[in-house]
Amino acid sequence: MREIAEKLLKTRSLDLNEYAKLIRYRANLAEWLKQEALNIKESIYGKDVYIRGLIEISNICKNDCYYCGIRRSNGDVERYRLSEEQILACCDEGYTLGFRTFVLQGGEDGYFTDERLCALIGEIKRRHSDCAVTLSLGERSDDSYAALRRAGADRYLLRHETADREHYGKLHPPEMSFDNRMRCLRSLRDLGYQVGCGFMVGSPYQTEETLAKDLKFIEDFKPDMCGIGPFVPHHGTPMRDFAAGTVELTCFLLSVIRIIYPPVLLPSTTALGTIDPQGREKGLLSGANVVMPNLSPTNVRRKYELYDNKICTGEEAAECKGCLSRRVRSIGCRLAIGRGDIKK
Ligand code: SAH
């Protein structure tokens, strides 16, 4: 397997077969590729870790993804939606704490029309012109993405979830479409957004072959950002009885993605911190370079429960940032100030 790893390091490209083998026989390669990934990351970003303030604006969702705790059919969720004033207050607090990127994430909630979102984005940009606004609000029309971009949104996160059509069909109800998800990613790119894709590690029915397609997709698409974290079952979903993904495979894939596309912005996710108390540190040491502390008001944190036992649901924003800052320093890195744009 050494030859495959060497080819990856030299060409940053493998075929599907080779990616699948690399994953299958990773045990003896992981340590080596991790060091290579770290070197690549440090050659571009040094010891800087970028921060984004995550604001979970609504847990109301019209979709019914089989894995997600806030899916439409989960009747046990106490639904909430932040008001424009609350969202702006989160940004103001975040700004004071030093955040220069705000990520507005939520379910696909019809309340957030283009008109409302454009006004909101415009106001965030008016108050904090040196900040980047990232949206993570799911699938919308091209016209909608265009309007939000004109209103000032800089980046959009939309995990592709899996690059294998059949696998996509096993994770989502029939009314959701793999082609539409991929269409969204391409139009976001065409509209000039910095675009993030990504997937869950260890999601039900995932195989080395589907993961190979994810890696090939990343190689071809060259996303500005790539969010990967372990699947963690949620008790109120049809996928409650599946096993969670592992830290080991998540970290290995972080390393491989860093090698495939060196400048990519790679978050060490909350899900990784949820399945292992040291998970986020391990992610950063495997090639990740972004953390996303939670800026949502504490009284809604528990309600944005995508998966069981999600961490950081009790702390205030300042505590969350302080905690992450200590974790980052404990491994010899530092939180960078600024928007944290991709260096390509
Ligand atoms: N509605 C938005 C935001 C979704 S939540 C959208 O469609 O993009 C953000 C991410 O959380 C999802 O893309 C998914 O990959 C992840 N997620 C959802 N349920 C999860 C679970 N049970 N375990 C781990 N990650 C999960």
Side-chain angles (χ1 to χ4, degrees), residues 67-68 105-106 138 158-159 161 181 200 230-232 306-307:
Y67 47 84
C68 184
Q105 189 180 84
L158 185 77
R159 290 186 175 184
E161 312 297 357
R181 196 107 186 144
M200 294 177 287
F231 161 75
V232 183
L306 304 176
Y307 45 83

Side-chain angles (χ1 to χ4, degrees), residues 29 51 81 83 89 127 138 209 237 241 247 292 299 326 332 336:
L29 305 169
I51 49 169
R81 169 188 299 136
S83 67
R127 294 188 189 189
E209 286 70 35
T237 67
D241 293 328
V247 180
M292 299 173 64
N299 66 315
R326 277 191 301 281

